[in-house]
Amino acid sequence: MDVIPRTHKAAVLHSLKQPYVVDHNRPVPELLHEWEVLVKSHVIGLNPIDWKAPDFGFGIPTLPYTAGRELAGRVIQASKSTSRIKEGDNVICISTDYRDLRKAAYQEYVVSSSFNTVRIPPSVPLQSAATLGVAFVAAVLALGICMGVDFSHTADGPDLLELVQKYHKDGDGYQLPEDIRAECLEGLAPGERALPGDWIAIWGGSSTSANLAVQLARLAGLRVVTLVDTAKHGLRLSTNHGGKNANHLRPDLLVDSHDPDRAVAILRASLGPRLRFALDTRGRESAAALGRALRQEEPDEVAKNPALDNAPVTPRQSPRASKLAQRAHLVGLTGLPKEPAGEDVVYHTVPIKLYHEAPEIGEALSAWLERLLETGALVAPDIIAVEQGFEGINVGLDRMRRGEISGGKAVVVVE
């Protein structure tokens, strides 16, 4: 049995626009609830938010602050309320609750809710496991809540819209946080859910969220358009030279995003009103471009490309009737367009807090990720950089600031 020390190491942010400082004498966080587990960190995954937040002054509720949203490690103190997570398990900790510093990844010992903890199968290395986390949660919620994708035919995944409706009803209307209630319960009209065979456009080639969204969309039977800078990512996504996850990421249509206006023109000419779903992982400008592609002011005059009707797709297509009468849906992970959506397009923001504030939802997603990894249906993003020790956190974040980490993930091995 592991002896839990009283103090440990943590990377701490003392002021904005400053590097994280390694403190060797921080108190080890304590378990406060019976559903919590204590995990010893081995590999930390780095995310863009961890350098953007201190640089631009957002998403930091208090100073000093410990950041970090995901890690792979070993359970040293198990929850009393769950049989799924046991002491000694290698796990992924996914912390969407950035206000609870006990759950921050940039420390030696980390508290995690059992329903936000994912067992790692022996076939997945710890470094690869550390690349998964918040990006997976964001991708699943974007597809499952904001677009209504049903994952129940994919490794016994969740039908999130059905699950969240049941969760809300069982709680007499009080369990869903008020600020995400409308998105979860009213974001889609009846008959607007994404079905197998529908097209989705995903903007972003270097984003881990885009990587996982493409994989999950393909697993659910959607036809995927990926918009990337083809000079950087085209070869990786369209040929067999893309590494271990090339087949999982290969889209049905690849569009160069270097000229956004040209990209919009290609989408409109190729798909027209058949494109009703879009996910942006880049920012307001690319989200605005996707919004323009979704608006179909003159649908009868939009050229259709017959070649796309025979494009290779994932199984279980389901033709949709009267598509022109349905609204389009745009999800922005890092921002939405400034201009109004209009009557034919709905803007969506991912209700990320659903994962940690609704235990049934968190448990469903965590257990499903375990099954996806166990079967190999979902492949972890490529690792671009590996840094060492808590001091390596600043090194990795600086590389991200300089744009050196593109098309994959940076991790830090701390043990």
Side-chain angles (χ1 to χ4, degrees):
M1 181 176 179
D2 291 85
V3 176
I4 302 172
R6 297 179 59 185
T7 60
H8 69 154
K9 290 182 287 187
V12 182
L13 182 72
H14 290 280
S15 59
L16 299 180
K17 299 182 179 180
Q18 296 295 320
Y20 293 87
V21 176
V22 180
D23 186 338
H24 293 257
N25 293 293
R26 300 285 290 184
V28 171
E30 298 181 356
L31 304 184
L32 301 180
H33 305 286
E34 64 175 8
W35 58 82
E36 293 178 339
V37 301
L38 189 65
V39 175
K40 191 167 193 302
S41 178
H42 290 271
V43 186
I44 296 170
L46 300 183
N47 288 289
I49 187 67
D50 298 333
W51 70 263
K52 291 180 179 179
D55 283 14
F56 300 105
F58 66 89
I60 298 177
T62 185
L63 288 173
Y65 182 67
T66 301
R69 304 275 65 90
E70 58 209 16
L71 64 90
R74 181 168 54 86
V75 177
I76 62 170
Q77 189 173 345
S79 165
K80 296 182 175 63
S81 65
T82 179
S83 59
R84 185 171 61 87
I85 307 297
K86 303 184 185 309
E87 289 186 13
D89 284 346
N90 287 331
V91 296
I92 304 167
C93 297
I94 306 175
S95 175
T96 54
D97 189 3
Y98 70 96
R99 295 182 181 276
D100 189 343
L101 302 192
R102 300 176 307 138
K103 300 176 181 178
Y106 290 3
Q107 50 190 341
E108 194 173 2
Y109 291 89
V110 176
V111 171
S112 181
S113 296
S114 60
F115 48 85
N116 295 155
T117 306
V118 179
R119 292 174 299 176
I120 303 171
S123 58
V124 178
L126 289 183
Q127 289 190 19
S128 295
T131 67
L132 299 158
V134 176
F136 169 79
V137 174
V140 173
L141 293 178
L143 294 169
I145 295 292
C146 303
M147 301 182 193
V149 175
D150 179 4
F151 294 107
S152 60
H153 299 288
T154 304
D156 194 23
D159 182 343
L160 281 173
L161 276 188
E162 182 179 296
L163 189 60
V164 79
Q165 291 276 356
K166 181 179 183 299
Y167 179 78
H168 183 70
K169 182 178 180 180
D170 290 348
D172 296 325
Y174 295 102
Q175 292 198 26
L176 280 179
E178 186 174 355
D179 58 341
I180 63 171
R181 195 171 298 168
E183 180 64 66
C184 294
L185 303 177
E186 304 168 12
L188 292 167
E192 287 187 337
R193 298 181 65 165
L195 300 177
D198 282 342
W199 285 90
I200 177 175
I202 299 176
W203 197 303
S206 61
S207 163
T208 304
S209 296
N211 177 309
L212 297 174
V214 168
Q215 293 189 59
L216 292 169
R218 285 169 53 86
L219 288 173
L222 273 65
R223 306 172 82 172
V224 178
V225 184
T226 303
L227 296 100
V228 300
D229 184 339
T230 56
K232 292 182 178 179
H233 306 290
L235 185 68
R236 178 172 63 89
L237 297 179
S238 61
T239 74
N240 291 323
H241 301 290
K244 60 181 174 59
N245 60 357
N247 289 330
H248 291 71
L249 294 178
R250 188 166 298 120
D252 297 292
L253 177 63
L254 182 65
V255 176
D256 189 358
S257 65
H258 180 71
D259 182 343
D261 291 336
R262 176 62 175 161
V264 170
I266 293 172
L267 289 175
R268 290 175 63 87
S270 299
L271 297 176
R274 289 178 289 175
L275 179 64
R276 291 197 312 112
F277 300 97
L279 170 65
D280 177 72
T281 68
R282 296 286 295 172
R284 287 187 185 274
E285 291 185 5
S286 49
L290 283 175
R292 295 196 300 274
L294 291 172
R295 294 187 184 93
Q296 300 297 339
E297 293 87 351
E298 298 176 342
D300 293 336
E301 298 181 10
V302 176
K304 297 178 70 174
N305 186 342
L308 290 174
D309 292 329
N310 299 316
V313 297
T314 43
R316 300 182 5 258
Q317 296 184 58
S318 175
R320 180 188 293 277
S322 60
K323 293 185 178 183
L324 298 182
Q326 297 170 319
R327 301 176 299 174
H329 298 271
L330 170 62
V331 183
L333 291 187
T334 58
L336 286 166
K338 294 181 179 180
E339 57 266 27
E343 295 183 358
D344 57 344
V345 179
V346 182
Y347 292 165
H348 296 267
T349 302
V350 177
I352 198 75
K353 68 193 304 182
L354 188 65
Y355 181 63
H356 66 264
E357 294 210 4
E360 287 87 347
I361 307 298
E363 178 69 21
L365 294 188
S366 297
W368 186 43
L369 179 54
E370 289 182 359
R371 295 192 293 274
L372 290 173
L373 294 175
E374 179 69 36
T375 61
L378 190 76
V379 175
D382 292 330
I383 296 174
I384 303 298
V386 179
E387 308 298 341
Q388 300 292 327
F390 283 91
E391 295 79 4
I393 291 175
N394 285 321
V395 177
L397 295 179
D398 284 341
R399 294 189 63 182
M400 296 174 74
R401 283 186 179 94
R402 295 192 297 266
E404 296 177 9
I405 309 300
S406 181
K409 190 87 168 181
V411 300
V412 180
V413 178
V414 294
E415 182 177 293

